[in-house]
Amino acid sequence: MIGPYPDAFSEWGGKNTYLLVEDGQYFRFITPIFLHVGFLHLLVNVFFQLQTCSYLEREWGFLPLICIYLISGFGSCLAASTIDPNEISVCSSGALMGIFGAKIAQAITWSIFTLDKDYRKQANGMFERLGGVVLSATIVFLLTLFTYIDWSGHLGGLITGFLVGMVFFSYAIASKCFRAIWLIIGIIGLAAGGSLLGVVLFNHTEADEELADACDYFRNLYSEGYACECAWDA
């Protein structure tokens, strides 16, 4: 991936379930969102942010976009830490998948419900425009074929983004009853999913103790020619 040695991911705040749970490093629910495993990963993410997210920012506004991004990133890190506890990785693509998930939720919401008259024109052709987002999500998901990029983080980000999208875009539904039902389903989904993963993570997940020192972990894993040069005290 043309990047640093993998111990750098843990040292600079990447996903490390052992340090998160045992050492209380809760910042690891957020910091993995801003890390990439190398230049290739960074360029792919930036490309889709410029191509797709810039368009969605103009449509949604900055505040909704950044809220969806950060909440989805948190969900991505939570899912990855719980499902793959013994892998050191990053979750930036998971946050991006959340944006795609929210757009899919918007398209479904605005297509199956009767909308308030102020939003009907905006919803025309919603599914036709969704093709590019689905293609982008598929390509980004394929990044999980590379090492140190969690499939579980991508899936967690996508599902979180979809549920957040249900909440955010329910405002356009004309019927107050259906609007409330759709909004409540989204909120319950977020609360139930987050609570379930949290309980499993902090009460039932046992991460490898060797992950406490990422440098030693990777030196043992790659016995020859591994240089650990990214530590804070290096």
Side-chain angles (χ1 to χ4, degrees):
M1 295 290 282
I2 317 175
Y5 282 103
D7 59 88
F9 310 146
S10 177
E11 190 71 22
W12 289 87
K15 190 204 84 178
N16 185 322
T17 301
Y18 183 85
L19 294 179
L20 189 155
V21 174
E22 299 299 330
D23 287 4
Q25 296 185 7
Y26 303 125
F27 60 83
R28 293 183 187 271
F29 281 126
I30 295 295
T31 48
I33 302 171
F34 304 103
L35 297 175
H36 297 78
V37 301
F39 289 109
L40 179 58
H41 186 205
L42 175 63
L43 289 173
V44 170
N45 274 9
V46 168
F47 172 78
F48 284 109
Q49 286 180 3
L50 289 174
Q51 183 195 51
T52 306
C53 293
S54 59
Y55 160 75
L56 294 177
E57 183 179 357
R58 291 192 294 271
E59 180 183 348
W60 298 344
F62 171 75
L63 190 58
L65 181 82
I66 199 65
C67 285
I68 293 169
Y69 187 86
L70 292 175
I71 296 170
S72 299
F74 179 88
S76 170
C77 294
L78 177 59
S81 298
T82 306
I83 298 171
D84 287 319
N86 294 319
E87 297 289 335
I88 291 175
S89 64
V90 301
C91 296
S92 51
S93 300
L96 183 59
M97 290 290 286
I99 298 293
F100 300 147
K103 183 60 180 178
I104 294 170
Q106 182 190 19
I108 292 174
T109 302
W110 288 20
S111 297
I112 65 175
F113 293 107
T114 300
L115 302 182
D116 188 279
K117 62 181 181 180
D118 294 334
Y119 301 102
R120 289 172 191 170
K121 187 176 181 180
Q122 229 179 306
N124 289 337
M126 180 70 72
F127 261 108
E128 288 77 2
R129 298 196 299 273
L130 190 61
V133 173
V134 173
L135 178 61
S136 298
T138 302
I139 294 173
V140 172
F141 195 85
L142 290 176
L143 287 174
T144 58
L145 297 175
F146 294 97
T147 54
Y148 310 114
I149 303 176
D150 270 318
W151 68 268
S152 52
H154 279 64
L155 186 60
L158 182 69
I159 294 173
T160 303
F162 184 89
L163 293 171
V164 174
M166 289 176 63
V167 174
F168 271 52
F169 300 111
S170 61
Y171 65 84
I173 300 174
S175 168
K176 291 182 179 179
C177 179
F178 285 134
R179 187 191 311 162
I181 291 172
W182 198 244
L183 177 69
I184 291 169
I185 290 173
I187 292 173
I188 290 176
L190 287 169
S195 299
L196 176 62
L197 288 173
V199 168
V200 172
L201 176 63
F202 288 103
N203 293 286
H204 303 288
T205 300
E206 295 184 4
D208 193 335
E209 207 171 317
E210 293 182 357
L211 295 176
D213 189 326
C215 284
D216 282 347
Y217 174 79
F218 285 110
R219 281 198 192 103
N220 294 331
L221 194 62
Y222 305 107
S223 56
E224 295 183 6
Y226 189 90
C228 185
E229 300 176 347
C230 297
W232 288 103
D233 57 355

